[in-house]
């Protein structure tokens, strides 16, 4: 049986291209368990801060975030006069390098009193306010090291 080298080379090139394409797709869409873990944990902490006005840190997060940083995650105002509110908060990005990470939350919030008059408003759905959360991994455990809210994002830089 005679080997057709042109056919072997064509199929070899085709296989190499498919392998490179597959590797590129894997890198692009691969599941990063540590990133997803941090997103989930940060979302739970953010919800806990919002629900309690940053006053009651759930015990399971006490080693993950300080009380001061937890309080900084609460973006609501004047709870005494608020009867109705609208809000949205989500993680827009998280970057992990070595033993450090930075997560970026985006939120907008509006509150109204009993007469349906505006009490306060922060950001909008098309221009939400960013909150930056920095984390560090020590002894295999992630810990929040700082929380910074950029109140006037347009006026920075």
């Amino acid at each position: 049986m005679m080997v057709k080298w042109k056919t072997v080379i064509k199929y070899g090139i085709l296989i190499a291209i498919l392998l490179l394409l597959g590797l590129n797709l894997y890198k692009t869409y691969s599941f990063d368990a540590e990133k997803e873990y941090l997103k989930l944990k940060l979302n739970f902490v953010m919800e806990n801060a919002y629900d309690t006005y940053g006053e009651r840190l759930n015990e399971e997060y006490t080693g993950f975030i300080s009380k001061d940083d937890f309080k900084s995650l609460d973006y609501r105002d004047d709870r005494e006069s608020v009867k109705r509110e609208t809000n949205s908060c989500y993680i827009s990005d998280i970057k992990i390098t070595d033993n450090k990470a930075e997560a970026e939350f985006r939120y907008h919030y509006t509150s109204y009193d009993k007469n349906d008059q505006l009490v306060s408003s922060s950001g909008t759905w098309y221009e939400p306010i960013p909150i930056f959360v920095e984390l560090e991994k020590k002894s295999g455990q992630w810990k929040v090291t700082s929380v910074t809210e950029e109140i006037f994002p347009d006026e920075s830089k």
Side-chain angles (χ1 to χ4, degrees):
M1 177 167 144
M2 189 163 159
V3 176
K4 296 184 180 180
W5 288 107
K6 285 185 179 182
T7 304
V8 170
I9 291 171
K10 281 186 207 177
Y11 282 116
I13 291 171
L14 180 62
I15 289 170
I17 290 171
L18 289 173
L19 285 172
L20 288 173
L21 180 62
L23 182 60
N24 188 33
L25 286 172
Y26 174 76
K27 284 182 178 179
T28 303
Y29 298 105
S30 65
F31 178 77
D32 185 345
E34 192 159 46
K35 191 176 196 177
E36 295 304 316
Y37 165 77
L38 278 178
K39 280 183 182 180
L40 189 62
K41 194 160 188 172
L42 285 167
N43 271 321
F44 282 133
V45 169
M46 191 64 143
E47 286 176 16
N48 182 210
Y50 181 83
D51 290 344
T52 67
Y53 288 88
E55 292 178 357
R56 290 189 316 274
L57 177 60
N58 189 320
E59 283 184 33
E60 76 179 88
Y61 304 121
T62 55
F64 180 67
I65 187 168
S66 71
K67 287 183 179 182
D68 289 336
D69 284 335
F70 179 72
K71 180 74 174 159
S72 297
L73 289 176
D74 175 39
Y75 51 85
R76 296 198 286 182
D77 299 321
D78 192 15
R79 73 180 184 188
E80 301 305 319
S81 61
V82 172
K83 297 299 176 200
R84 181 175 70 88
E85 56 193 4
T86 61
N87 79 303
S88 173
C89 184
Y90 58 92
I91 292 181
S92 63
D93 192 23
I94 187 165
K95 295 175 187 154
I96 299 174
T97 54
D98 298 324
N99 290 325
K100 296 195 184 267
E102 185 178 278
E104 181 179 342
F105 282 91
R106 294 280 174 155
Y107 80 89
H108 66 87
Y109 172 78
T110 307
S111 60
Y112 303 89
D113 65 14
K114 65 181 178 181
N115 298 320
D116 216 27
Q117 298 297 310
L118 180 67
V119 174
S120 69
S121 182
S122 299
T124 61
W125 67 270
Y126 57 88
E127 195 173 336
I129 305 290
I131 296 176
F132 299 98
V133 179
E134 293 181 6
L135 302 105
E136 189 172 347
K137 191 175 189 179
K138 289 185 178 178
S139 303
Q141 298 294 314
W142 285 103
K143 181 170 176 49
V144 173
T145 56
S146 76
V147 174
T148 308
E149 180 177 356
E150 192 173 316
I151 298 173
F152 304 106
D154 291 337
E155 297 176 15
S156 66
K157 299 176 186 159

